[in-house]
Amino acid sequence: MMSELKRYSADHRYLLEEAARACGFSQPMALDLDEFHAPLVKAAKRRQILPIDGVMVRDWDPDGRATNPGVQLGMRVYEIEGVTFVRVRYVFNDRNNGWGLDFVAVDQKDYRKLYRIALKVRMEEEPPCVAPVLPADQLDLLWKNTIGYLETRNLEKIRVYGGRAKRGVLLTGSPGNGKTMACRWIWEECRQRRWEYRLVTPDNYRQARSHDSIENLFGVQRRGIIFFDDMDLALRDRDKVAETEDQAVFLSAMDGIAANEGVVFVFTTNCSLDLIDRAFKRPGRLDVVLNFRAPDADLRRRLIERWHPEVVASLDLDEAVASTDGYSFAEVEELRNLLVMHFMDAEAWDWQWALRQFAINRNELSGRPQRQVGFGNQARPRGEEIPV
């Protein structure tokens, strides 16, 4: 009696052979496109729909029409840059893994070419990363100590000359002035390079502590960046606050990580630098500190100039910049939100109304406890180098 595994394998082979016959593949290969699926299928030309063993069920679902093959049972042929591939769809048993019954097939001779095309179209589809609004020297320093540090040519030099493939960067300052903006930029740059990236929140840390798995928070299999959001409980000076085991455990785990390729730890905190434990500021643990302050007039102007052109055109930029003196990035962005909300109601852009409403909102909130915000939640602050 044939086992379930053998029946499943036979079904998959039959579907792959049907795809090969339909498209003239001499050596068909099955693959799962995963995150390449949407950009590749959107960029490819949709060719004929074919039955499998005389069976074809069309799919009229309007959702995802640009990427769905248009059949529930059957095959859809695609072509891109001279490469033919086919989506095979014949899932009839939801107890089995679907990959053997719903997959993409391509001729082996075109496999590498299709992969290169998929890489290209995925990169083309992704929006470019927009650098945060920071002073040029601070932005350069942030880049060189994170993304730039992990570039292949730099990691090779580090290995050749015996350097350390780990780096620690601390972003500090009051909330709302760009820390989150900076972290999201680095995060997106990591994602586009297919490097590892991870966010560790205080809740993640406490959970790992309870399971004696702190070291797992620091490890990466390849090169990557780990973001530690608002880790005040592990970074505060033990001489100035009640000492706990957190500091020692945290630093021991950080020291014990061997980087396979290269790793950067990015820490964010609302603590002032003098409250950070001296042991954490030791070279080898922390290499660069960026202090994020409230934006000056030039930075506020640059931020406002990034808004929608219609919004910007409605403003007196000089007045907008002057009237936001002392505002954080987050507060300036909130003014934009108020402008849009008012426009939805009155179909007019009214900067003075936004300022008044902002003041009313702040007064209403001033008597209430303020929730901490961070990269793991929402907003964050801005940078300048401080010697450590």
Side-chain angles (χ1 to χ4, degrees), residues 60-93:
W60 283 9
D61 185 356
D63 295 332
R65 185 169 288 171
T67 56
N68 286 341
V71 292
Q72 287 290 347
L73 299 177
M75 295 183 286
R76 163 74 76 175
V77 180
Y78 297 88
E79 188 271 329
I80 185 168
E81 297 184 22
V83 175
T84 297
F85 63 98
V86 58
R87 169 79 178 274
V88 179
R89 197 173 195 182
Y90 212 93
V91 178
F92 63 90
N93 187 340

PDB file of all heavy atoms in Angstrom, residues 60-93:
ATOM      1  N   TRP A  60     -12.565  34.289  -9.991  1.00  0.00           N
ATOM      2  CA  TRP A  60     -13.048  35.639 -10.260  1.00  0.00           C
ATOM      3  C   TRP A  60     -12.838  36.591  -9.079  1.00  0.00           C
ATOM      4  O   TRP A  60     -13.343  37.702  -9.080  1.00  0.00           O
ATOM      5  CB  TRP A  60     -14.541  35.600 -10.603  1.00  0.00           C
ATOM      6  CG  TRP A  60     -14.822  35.138 -12.001  1.00  0.00           C
ATOM      7  CD1 TRP A  60     -13.943  34.605 -12.881  1.00  0.00           C
ATOM      8  CD2 TRP A  60     -16.086  35.196 -12.666  1.00  0.00           C
ATOM      9  NE1 TRP A  60     -14.564  34.307 -14.058  1.00  0.00           N
ATOM     10  CE2 TRP A  60     -15.885  34.665 -13.960  1.00  0.00           C
ATOM     11  CE3 TRP A  60     -17.359  35.622 -12.296  1.00  0.00           C
ATOM     12  CZ2 TRP A  60     -16.915  34.552 -14.881  1.00  0.00           C
ATOM     13  CZ3 TRP A  60     -18.383  35.519 -13.221  1.00  0.00           C
ATOM     14  CH2 TRP A  60     -18.161  34.999 -14.504  1.00  0.00           C
ATOM     15  N   ASP A  61     -12.132  36.161  -8.077  1.00  0.00           N
ATOM     16  CA  ASP A  61     -11.907  37.001  -6.905  1.00  0.00           C
ATOM     17  C   ASP A  61     -11.193  38.285  -7.326  1.00  0.00           C
ATOM     18  O   ASP A  61     -10.081  38.243  -7.862  1.00  0.00           O
ATOM     19  CB  ASP A  61     -11.053  36.242  -5.881  1.00  0.00           C
ATOM     20  CG  ASP A  61     -10.887  37.010  -4.572  1.00  0.00           C
ATOM     21  OD1 ASP A  61     -11.371  38.158  -4.490  1.00  0.00           O
ATOM     22  OD2 ASP A  61     -10.270  36.453  -3.642  1.00  0.00           O
ATOM     23  N   PRO A  62     -11.805  39.469  -7.084  1.00  0.00           N
ATOM     24  CA  PRO A  62     -11.174  40.725  -7.529  1.00  0.00           C
ATOM     25  C   PRO A  62      -9.991  41.140  -6.671  1.00  0.00           C
ATOM     26  O   PRO A  62      -9.170  41.951  -7.098  1.00  0.00           O
ATOM     27  CB  PRO A  62     -12.315  41.742  -7.418  1.00  0.00           C
ATOM     28  CG  PRO A  62     -13.191  41.204  -6.329  1.00  0.00           C
ATOM     29  CD  PRO A  62     -13.124  39.700  -6.459  1.00  0.00           C
ATOM     30  N   ASP A  63      -9.912  40.610  -5.452  1.00  0.00           N
ATOM     31  CA  ASP A  63      -8.801  40.980  -4.573  1.00  0.00           C
ATOM     32  C   ASP A  63      -7.502  40.343  -5.071  1.00  0.00           C
ATOM     33  O   ASP A  63      -7.443  39.152  -5.344  1.00  0.00           O
ATOM     34  CB  ASP A  63      -9.071  40.530  -3.144  1.00  0.00           C
ATOM     35  CG  ASP A  63     -10.268  41.236  -2.530  1.00  0.00           C
ATOM     36  OD1 ASP A  63     -10.546  42.372  -2.948  1.00  0.00           O
ATOM     37  OD2 ASP A  63     -10.939  40.630  -1.663  1.00  0.00           O
ATOM     38  N   GLY A  64      -6.472  41.133  -5.153  1.00  0.00           N
ATOM     39  CA  GLY A  64      -5.182  40.610  -5.581  1.00  0.00           C
ATOM     40  C   GLY A  64      -5.136  40.176  -7.029  1.00  0.00           C
ATOM     41  O   GLY A  64      -4.353  39.300  -7.391  1.00  0.00           O
ATOM     42  N   ARG A  65      -5.966  40.795  -7.856  1.00  0.00           N
ATOM     43  CA  ARG A  65      -6.043  40.373  -9.260  1.00  0.00           C
ATOM     44  C   ARG A  65      -4.711  40.534  -9.983  1.00  0.00           C
ATOM     45  O   ARG A  65      -4.400  39.778 -10.906  1.00  0.00           O
ATOM     46  CB  ARG A  65      -7.141  41.160  -9.959  1.00  0.00           C
ATOM     47  CG  ARG A  65      -7.422  40.737 -11.391  1.00  0.00           C
ATOM     48  CD  ARG A  65      -8.698  41.385 -11.908  1.00  0.00           C
ATOM     49  NE  ARG A  65      -9.881  40.811 -11.284  1.00  0.00           N
ATOM     50  CZ  ARG A  65     -11.107  41.316 -11.421  1.00  0.00           C
ATOM     51  NH1 ARG A  65     -11.291  42.415 -12.140  1.00  0.00           N
ATOM     52  NH2 ARG A  65     -12.142  40.733 -10.834  1.00  0.00           N
ATOM     53  N   ALA A  66      -3.907  41.507  -9.578  1.00  0.00           N
ATOM     54  CA  ALA A  66      -2.635  41.758 -10.257  1.00  0.00           C
ATOM     55  C   ALA A  66      -1.622  40.651 -10.025  1.00  0.00           C
ATOM     56  O   ALA A  66      -0.695  40.472 -10.825  1.00  0.00           O
ATOM     57  CB  ALA A  66      -2.046  43.084  -9.792  1.00  0.00           C
ATOM     58  N   THR A  67      -1.788  39.890  -8.942  1.00  0.00           N
ATOM     59  CA  THR A  67      -0.793  38.857  -8.625  1.00  0.00           C
ATOM     60  C   THR A  67      -1.363  37.447  -8.614  1.00  0.00           C
ATOM     61  O   THR A  67      -0.595  36.489  -8.665  1.00  0.00           O
ATOM     62  CB  THR A  67      -0.151  39.139  -7.254  1.00  0.00           C
ATOM     63  OG1 THR A  67      -1.179  39.240  -6.261  1.00  0.00           O
ATOM     64  CG2 THR A  67       0.641  40.438  -7.286  1.00  0.00           C
ATOM     65  N   ASN A  68      -2.680  37.304  -8.525  1.00  0.00           N
ATOM     66  CA  ASN A  68      -3.266  35.959  -8.544  1.00  0.00           C
ATOM     67  C   ASN A  68      -3.239  35.390  -9.955  1.00  0.00           C
ATOM     68  O   ASN A  68      -3.350  36.128 -10.935  1.00  0.00           O
ATOM     69  CB  ASN A  68      -4.711  35.993  -8.038  1.00  0.00           C
ATOM     70  CG  ASN A  68      -4.779  36.193  -6.536  1.00  0.00           C
ATOM     71  OD1 ASN A  68      -3.800  35.968  -5.827  1.00  0.00           O
ATOM     72  ND2 ASN A  68      -5.928  36.633  -6.046  1.00  0.00           N
ATOM     73  N   PRO A  69      -3.131  34.065 -10.092  1.00  0.00           N
ATOM     74  CA  PRO A  69      -3.039  33.470 -11.428  1.00  0.00           C
ATOM     75  C   PRO A  69      -4.356  33.426 -12.185  1.00  0.00           C
ATOM     76  O   PRO A  69      -4.384  33.146 -13.381  1.00  0.00           O
ATOM     77  CB  PRO A  69      -2.531  32.055 -11.141  1.00  0.00           C
ATOM     78  CG  PRO A  69      -3.047  31.744  -9.769  1.00  0.00           C
ATOM     79  CD  PRO A  69      -2.973  33.053  -9.031  1.00  0.00           C
ATOM     80  N   GLY A  70      -5.477  33.688 -11.512  1.00  0.00           N
ATOM     81  CA  GLY A  70      -6.772  33.661 -12.182  1.00  0.00           C
ATOM     82  C   GLY A  70      -7.410  32.284 -12.230  1.00  0.00           C
ATOM     83  O   GLY A  70      -8.440  32.094 -12.880  1.00  0.00           O
ATOM     84  N   VAL A  71      -6.793  31.323 -11.554  1.00  0.00           N
ATOM     85  CA  VAL A  71      -7.359  29.966 -11.482  1.00  0.00           C
ATOM     86  C   VAL A  71      -7.210  29.431 -10.065  1.00  0.00           C
ATOM     87  O   VAL A  71      -6.262  29.753  -9.355  1.00  0.00           O
ATOM     88  CB  VAL A  71      -6.667  28.991 -12.460  1.00  0.00           C
ATOM     89  CG1 VAL A  71      -6.977  29.343 -13.907  1.00  0.00           C
ATOM     90  CG2 VAL A  71      -5.160  28.938 -12.223  1.00  0.00           C
ATOM     91  N   GLN A  72      -8.174  28.610  -9.673  1.00  0.00           N
ATOM     92  CA  GLN A  72      -8.040  27.850  -8.435  1.00  0.00           C
ATOM     93  C   GLN A  72      -7.429  26.479  -8.720  1.00  0.00           C
ATOM     94  O   GLN A  72      -6.650  25.961  -7.929  1.00  0.00           O
ATOM     95  CB  GLN A  72      -9.411  27.684  -7.764  1.00  0.00           C
ATOM     96  CG  GLN A  72      -9.963  28.946  -7.129  1.00  0.00           C
ATOM     97  CD  GLN A  72      -9.185  29.361  -5.897  1.00  0.00           C
ATOM     98  OE1 GLN A  72      -8.375  28.615  -5.360  1.00  0.00           O
ATOM     99  NE2 GLN A  72      -9.443  30.587  -5.434  1.00  0.00           N
ATOM    100  N   LEU A  73      -7.797  25.917  -9.862  1.00  0.00           N
ATOM    101  CA  LEU A  73      -7.208  24.666 -10.339  1.00  0.00           C
ATOM    102  C   LEU A  73      -6.770  24.896 -11.778  1.00  0.00           C
ATOM    103  O   LEU A  73      -7.585  25.220 -12.647  1.00  0.00           O
ATOM    104  CB  LEU A  73      -8.218  23.515 -10.280  1.00  0.00           C
ATOM    105  CG  LEU A  73      -8.778  23.142  -8.897  1.00  0.00           C
ATOM    106  CD1 LEU A  73      -9.808  22.030  -9.026  1.00  0.00           C
ATOM    107  CD2 LEU A  73      -7.663  22.742  -7.942  1.00  0.00           C
ATOM    108  N   GLY A  74      -5.470  24.773 -12.029  1.00  0.00           N
ATOM    109  CA  GLY A  74      -4.961  24.987 -13.369  1.00  0.00           C
ATOM    110  C   GLY A  74      -3.583  25.625 -13.339  1.00  0.00           C
ATOM    111  O   GLY A  74      -2.891  25.615 -12.313  1.00  0.00           O
ATOM    112  N   MET A  75      -3.170  26.202 -14.473  1.00  0.00           N
ATOM    113  CA  MET A  75      -1.845  26.810 -14.604  1.00  0.00           C
ATOM    114  C   MET A  75      -1.958  28.154 -15.306  1.00  0.00           C
ATOM    115  O   MET A  75      -2.781  28.325 -16.198  1.00  0.00           O
ATOM    116  CB  MET A  75      -0.910  25.906 -15.419  1.00  0.00           C
ATOM    117  CG  MET A  75      -0.581  24.568 -14.777  1.00  0.00           C
ATOM    118  SD  MET A  75       0.600  23.608 -15.767  1.00  0.00           S
ATOM    119  CE  MET A  75      -0.450  23.074 -17.137  1.00  0.00           C
ATOM    120  N   ARG A  76      -1.120  29.093 -14.923  1.00  0.00           N
ATOM    121  CA  ARG A  76      -0.991  30.374 -15.600  1.00  0.00           C
ATOM    122  C   ARG A  76       0.464  30.524 -16.051  1.00  0.00           C
ATOM    123  O   ARG A  76       1.391  30.386 -15.251  1.00  0.00           O
ATOM    124  CB  ARG A  76      -1.371  31.524 -14.690  1.00  0.00           C
ATOM    125  CG  ARG A  76      -0.905  32.889 -15.145  1.00  0.00           C
ATOM    126  CD  ARG A  76      -1.710  33.450 -16.329  1.00  0.00           C
ATOM    127  NE  ARG A  76      -3.003  33.944 -15.887  1.00  0.00           N
ATOM    128  CZ  ARG A  76      -3.871  34.568 -16.682  1.00  0.00           C
ATOM    129  NH1 ARG A  76      -3.574  34.733 -17.968  1.00  0.00           N
ATOM    130  NH2 ARG A  76      -5.030  34.974 -16.219  1.00  0.00           N
ATOM    131  N   VAL A  77       0.651  30.803 -17.335  1.00  0.00           N
ATOM    132  CA  VAL A  77       1.994  30.986 -17.881  1.00  0.00           C
ATOM    133  C   VAL A  77       2.351  32.468 -17.859  1.00  0.00           C
ATOM    134  O   VAL A  77       1.514  33.328 -18.154  1.00  0.00           O
ATOM    135  CB  VAL A  77       2.059  30.438 -19.326  1.00  0.00           C
ATOM    136  CG1 VAL A  77       3.474  30.623 -19.895  1.00  0.00           C
ATOM    137  CG2 VAL A  77       1.666  28.966 -19.365  1.00  0.00           C
ATOM    138  N   TYR A  78       3.609  32.751 -17.506  1.00  0.00           N
ATOM    139  CA  TYR A  78       4.130  34.120 -17.490  1.00  0.00           C
ATOM    140  C   TYR A  78       5.420  34.171 -18.310  1.00  0.00           C
ATOM    141  O   TYR A  78       6.107  33.158 -18.477  1.00  0.00           O
ATOM    142  CB  TYR A  78       4.435  34.581 -16.061  1.00  0.00           C
ATOM    143  CG  TYR A  78       3.251  34.647 -15.142  1.00  0.00           C
ATOM    144  CD1 TYR A  78       2.848  33.533 -14.406  1.00  0.00           C
ATOM    145  CD2 TYR A  78       2.540  35.831 -14.973  1.00  0.00           C
ATOM    146  CE1 TYR A  78       1.763  33.594 -13.543  1.00  0.00           C
ATOM    147  CE2 TYR A  78       1.462  35.911 -14.106  1.00  0.00           C
ATOM    148  CZ  TYR A  78       1.074  34.782 -13.394  1.00  0.00           C
ATOM    149  OH  TYR A  78       0.001  34.845 -12.546  1.00  0.00           O
ATOM    150  N   GLU A  79       5.756  35.376 -18.761  1.00  0.00           N
ATOM    151  CA  GLU A  79       7.010  35.566 -19.498  1.00  0.00           C
ATOM    152  C   GLU A  79       7.619  36.895 -19.111  1.00  0.00           C
ATOM    153  O   GLU A  79       6.921  37.918 -19.005  1.00  0.00           O
ATOM    154  CB  GLU A  79       6.736  35.524 -21.001  1.00  0.00           C
ATOM    155  CG  GLU A  79       7.999  35.514 -21.862  1.00  0.00           C
ATOM    156  CD  GLU A  79       8.484  36.915 -22.210  1.00  0.00           C
ATOM    157  OE1 GLU A  79       7.646  37.824 -22.321  1.00  0.00           O
ATOM    158  OE2 GLU A  79       9.714  37.094 -22.345  1.00  0.00           O
ATOM    159  N   ILE A  80       8.920  36.898 -18.867  1.00  0.00           N
ATOM    160  CA  ILE A  80       9.614  38.138 -18.533  1.00  0.00           C
ATOM    161  C   ILE A  80      11.044  38.060 -19.046  1.00  0.00           C
ATOM    162  O   ILE A  80      11.766  37.099 -18.771  1.00  0.00           O
ATOM    163  CB  ILE A  80       9.587  38.423 -17.011  1.00  0.00           C
ATOM    164  CG1 ILE A  80      10.210  39.783 -16.706  1.00  0.00           C
ATOM    165  CG2 ILE A  80      10.248  37.315 -16.202  1.00  0.00           C
ATOM    166  CD1 ILE A  80       9.984  40.275 -15.280  1.00  0.00           C
ATOM    167  N   GLU A  81      11.427  39.026 -19.850  1.00  0.00           N
ATOM    168  CA  GLU A  81      12.783  39.137 -20.402  1.00  0.00           C
ATOM    169  C   GLU A  81      13.249  37.834 -21.027  1.00  0.00           C
ATOM    170  O   GLU A  81      14.396  37.399 -20.848  1.00  0.00           O
ATOM    171  CB  GLU A  81      13.756  39.602 -19.317  1.00  0.00           C
ATOM    172  CG  GLU A  81      13.445  40.990 -18.788  1.00  0.00           C
ATOM    173  CD  GLU A  81      14.462  41.501 -17.792  1.00  0.00           C
ATOM    174  OE1 GLU A  81      15.609  40.992 -17.805  1.00  0.00           O
ATOM    175  OE2 GLU A  81      14.113  42.392 -16.999  1.00  0.00           O
ATOM    176  N   GLY A  82      12.371  37.203 -21.760  1.00  0.00           N
ATOM    177  CA  GLY A  82      12.724  35.982 -22.475  1.00  0.00           C
ATOM    178  C   GLY A  82      12.658  34.713 -21.651  1.00  0.00           C
ATOM    179  O   GLY A  82      12.948  33.616 -22.157  1.00  0.00           O
ATOM    180  N   VAL A  83      12.278  34.824 -20.381  1.00  0.00           N
ATOM    181  CA  VAL A  83      12.167  33.652 -19.505  1.00  0.00           C
ATOM    182  C   VAL A  83      10.693  33.318 -19.299  1.00  0.00           C
ATOM    183  O   VAL A  83       9.894  34.194 -18.939  1.00  0.00           O
ATOM    184  CB  VAL A  83      12.843  33.897 -18.148  1.00  0.00           C
ATOM    185  CG1 VAL A  83      12.604  32.715 -17.209  1.00  0.00           C
ATOM    186  CG2 VAL A  83      14.335  34.129 -18.326  1.00  0.00           C
ATOM    187  N   THR A  84      10.353  32.055 -19.516  1.00  0.00           N
ATOM    188  CA  THR A  84       8.994  31.584 -19.271  1.00  0.00           C
ATOM    189  C   THR A  84       8.941  30.848 -17.934  1.00  0.00           C
ATOM    190  O   THR A  84       9.812  30.033 -17.627  1.00  0.00           O
ATOM    191  CB  THR A  84       8.543  30.617 -20.381  1.00  0.00           C
ATOM    192  OG1 THR A  84       8.506  31.321 -21.623  1.00  0.00           O
ATOM    193  CG2 THR A  84       7.157  30.069 -20.096  1.00  0.00           C
ATOM    194  N   PHE A  85       7.943  31.191 -17.129  1.00  0.00           N
ATOM    195  CA  PHE A  85       7.695  30.426 -15.907  1.00  0.00           C
ATOM    196  C   PHE A  85       6.197  30.251 -15.768  1.00  0.00           C
ATOM    197  O   PHE A  85       5.408  30.958 -16.417  1.00  0.00           O
ATOM    198  CB  PHE A  85       8.311  31.095 -14.668  1.00  0.00           C
ATOM    199  CG  PHE A  85       7.765  32.451 -14.324  1.00  0.00           C
ATOM    200  CD1 PHE A  85       6.788  32.599 -13.344  1.00  0.00           C
ATOM    201  CD2 PHE A  85       8.251  33.598 -14.952  1.00  0.00           C
ATOM    202  CE1 PHE A  85       6.293  33.851 -13.008  1.00  0.00           C
ATOM    203  CE2 PHE A  85       7.770  34.859 -14.617  1.00  0.00           C
ATOM    204  CZ  PHE A  85       6.788  34.990 -13.649  1.00  0.00           C
ATOM    205  N   VAL A  86       5.780  29.304 -14.956  1.00  0.00           N
ATOM    206  CA  VAL A  86       4.364  28.969 -14.867  1.00  0.00           C
ATOM    207  C   VAL A  86       3.963  28.769 -13.415  1.00  0.00           C
ATOM    208  O   VAL A  86       4.689  28.158 -12.634  1.00  0.00           O
ATOM    209  CB  VAL A  86       4.030  27.709 -15.701  1.00  0.00           C
ATOM    210  CG1 VAL A  86       4.862  26.511 -15.254  1.00  0.00           C
ATOM    211  CG2 VAL A  86       2.546  27.376 -15.643  1.00  0.00           C
ATOM    212  N   ARG A  87       2.840  29.338 -13.063  1.00  0.00           N
ATOM    213  CA  ARG A  87       2.267  29.126 -11.728  1.00  0.00           C
ATOM    214  C   ARG A  87       1.322  27.937 -11.815  1.00  0.00           C
ATOM    215  O   ARG A  87       0.355  27.939 -12.579  1.00  0.00           O
ATOM    216  CB  ARG A  87       1.511  30.372 -11.271  1.00  0.00           C
ATOM    217  CG  ARG A  87       0.645  30.195 -10.012  1.00  0.00           C
ATOM    218  CD  ARG A  87       1.459  30.222  -8.741  1.00  0.00           C
ATOM    219  NE  ARG A  87       0.599  30.094  -7.572  1.00  0.00           N
ATOM    220  CZ  ARG A  87      -0.028  31.100  -6.957  1.00  0.00           C
ATOM    221  NH1 ARG A  87       0.087  32.336  -7.440  1.00  0.00           N
ATOM    222  NH2 ARG A  87      -0.778  30.888  -5.896  1.00  0.00           N
ATOM    223  N   VAL A  88       1.619  26.928 -11.034  1.00  0.00           N
ATOM    224  CA  VAL A  88       0.799  25.718 -10.967  1.00  0.00           C
ATOM    225  C   VAL A  88      -0.026  25.773  -9.700  1.00  0.00           C
ATOM    226  O   VAL A  88       0.517  25.985  -8.606  1.00  0.00           O
ATOM    227  CB  VAL A  88       1.674  24.449 -10.980  1.00  0.00           C
ATOM    228  CG1 VAL A  88       0.805  23.197 -10.874  1.00  0.00           C
ATOM    229  CG2 VAL A  88       2.541  24.415 -12.224  1.00  0.00           C
ATOM    230  N   ARG A  89      -1.339  25.563  -9.832  1.00  0.00           N
ATOM    231  CA  ARG A  89      -2.209  25.646  -8.656  1.00  0.00           C
ATOM    232  C   ARG A  89      -3.212  24.503  -8.703  1.00  0.00           C
ATOM    233  O   ARG A  89      -4.094  24.475  -9.558  1.00  0.00           O
ATOM    234  CB  ARG A  89      -2.937  26.993  -8.655  1.00  0.00           C
ATOM    235  CG  ARG A  89      -3.542  27.370  -7.315  1.00  0.00           C
ATOM    236  CD  ARG A  89      -4.084  28.791  -7.375  1.00  0.00           C
ATOM    237  NE  ARG A  89      -4.364  29.333  -6.063  1.00  0.00           N
ATOM    238  CZ  ARG A  89      -4.876  30.535  -5.859  1.00  0.00           C
ATOM    239  NH1 ARG A  89      -5.186  31.314  -6.876  1.00  0.00           N
ATOM    240  NH2 ARG A  89      -5.105  30.957  -4.633  1.00  0.00           N
ATOM    241  N   TYR A  90      -3.066  23.561  -7.770  1.00  0.00           N
ATOM    242  CA  TYR A  90      -3.974  22.422  -7.745  1.00  0.00           C
ATOM    243  C   TYR A  90      -4.047  21.854  -6.321  1.00  0.00           C
ATOM    244  O   TYR A  90      -3.792  20.674  -6.075  1.00  0.00           O
ATOM    245  CB  TYR A  90      -3.497  21.332  -8.724  1.00  0.00           C
ATOM    246  CG  TYR A  90      -4.628  20.556  -9.345  1.00  0.00           C
ATOM    247  CD1 TYR A  90      -5.162  20.938 -10.573  1.00  0.00           C
ATOM    248  CD2 TYR A  90      -5.175  19.445  -8.707  1.00  0.00           C
ATOM    249  CE1 TYR A  90      -6.202  20.238 -11.158  1.00  0.00           C
ATOM    250  CE2 TYR A  90      -6.222  18.742  -9.270  1.00  0.00           C
ATOM    251  CZ  TYR A  90      -6.728  19.135 -10.500  1.00  0.00           C
ATOM    252  OH  TYR A  90      -7.771  18.447 -11.078  1.00  0.00           O
ATOM    253  N   VAL A  91      -4.380  22.722  -5.390  1.00  0.00           N
ATOM    254  CA  VAL A  91      -4.465  22.306  -3.989  1.00  0.00           C
ATOM    255  C   VAL A  91      -5.820  21.661  -3.749  1.00  0.00           C
ATOM    256  O   VAL A  91      -6.859  22.296  -3.911  1.00  0.00           O
ATOM    257  CB  VAL A  91      -4.277  23.506  -3.040  1.00  0.00           C
ATOM    258  CG1 VAL A  91      -4.418  23.055  -1.590  1.00  0.00           C
ATOM    259  CG2 VAL A  91      -2.918  24.159  -3.274  1.00  0.00           C
ATOM    260  N   PHE A  92      -5.813  20.391  -3.396  1.00  0.00           N
ATOM    261  CA  PHE A  92      -7.062  19.677  -3.170  1.00  0.00           C
ATOM    262  C   PHE A  92      -7.105  18.993  -1.805  1.00  0.00           C
ATOM    263  O   PHE A  92      -8.107  18.362  -1.455  1.00  0.00           O
ATOM    264  CB  PHE A  92      -7.273  18.603  -4.261  1.00  0.00           C
ATOM    265  CG  PHE A  92      -6.221  17.523  -4.279  1.00  0.00           C
ATOM    266  CD1 PHE A  92      -6.382  16.363  -3.527  1.00  0.00           C
ATOM    267  CD2 PHE A  92      -5.077  17.663  -5.039  1.00  0.00           C
ATOM    268  CE1 PHE A  92      -5.422  15.370  -3.540  1.00  0.00           C
ATOM    269  CE2 PHE A  92      -4.117  16.663  -5.065  1.00  0.00           C
ATOM    270  CZ  PHE A  92      -4.292  15.514  -4.306  1.00  0.00           C
ATOM    271  N   ASN A  93      -6.026  19.142  -1.024  1.00  0.00           N
ATOM    272  CA  ASN A  93      -5.972  18.489   0.280  1.00  0.00           C
ATOM    273  C   ASN A  93      -5.340  19.465   1.257  1.00  0.00           C
ATOM    274  O   ASN A  93      -4.132  19.700   1.210  1.00  0.00           O
ATOM    275  CB  ASN A  93      -5.151  17.198   0.205  1.00  0.00           C
ATOM    276  CG  ASN A  93      -5.206  16.406   1.508  1.00  0.00           C
ATOM    277  OD1 ASN A  93      -5.533  16.958   2.564  1.00  0.00           O
ATOM    278  ND2 ASN A  93      -4.885  15.121   1.444  1.00  0.00           N
TER     279      ASN A  93
END
